Amino acid sequence: MKFEMTENGFETETSYGKLAISSNDEFGFRPFQLLVSSVAVCSGGVMRKILDKMRMPAEHITVEAKEIVRNPDVADRIERIHLHFTIKGSSIEDSKMDRVLELTTKNCSMVQSVHDSIEIVETYEIVK
């Protein structure tokens, strides 16, 4: 990927379209938003695949970053992300969800990329 400087940040062209990134959210996505989004969406996609493989297909999954803890003393670094999954599906078994979360964490490339630097907390609720 190639990032070009603009008046208010940087841009890159992707196969999906132009992505604007800026420290000012009036001009693009903020870098921390992209990082949190990557972790959340990767986790949701992996969870979806795992649920399918376990024969508990989800009709719908919502991933909410309920809490993002940043450290203002260390460049405002992200130290903790709490992801909450709301899973809709008539065949989702609560008794298997601890294993689903374990496999999601293990197989999400974005979570594994930040494993030693950002604490990822995952909770869930099942909606029938």
Side-chain angles (χ1 to χ4, degrees), residues 75-126:
D76 228 9
R77 81 177 235 134
I78 296 172
E79 296 196 339
R80 182 175 193 263
I81 302 171
H82 173 185
L83 298 178
H84 183 75
F85 300 88
T86 303
I87 308 145
K88 182 178 181 183
S90 58
S91 62
I92 307 295
E93 296 178 42
D94 190 50
S95 63
K96 295 183 179 179
M97 285 305 298
D98 284 343
R99 181 69 176 147
V100 169
L101 289 176
E102 179 184 325
L103 290 169
T104 297
T105 298
K106 180 181 175 184
N107 292 290
C108 173
S109 62
M110 295 296 100
V111 170
Q112 289 303 308
S113 294
V114 300
H115 175 72
D116 292 327
S117 59
I118 300 175
E119 177 188 6
I120 306 295
V121 176
E122 298 169 321
T123 55
Y124 71 91
E125 65 183 292
I126 298 169

Side-chain angles (χ1 to χ4, degrees), residues 11 28 34 44 52 70 73 87 112-113 119:
E11 289 182 347
L34 294 171
D52 284 347
R70 299 180 76 179
D73 297 329
I87 308 145
Q112 289 303 308
S113 294
E119 177 188 6

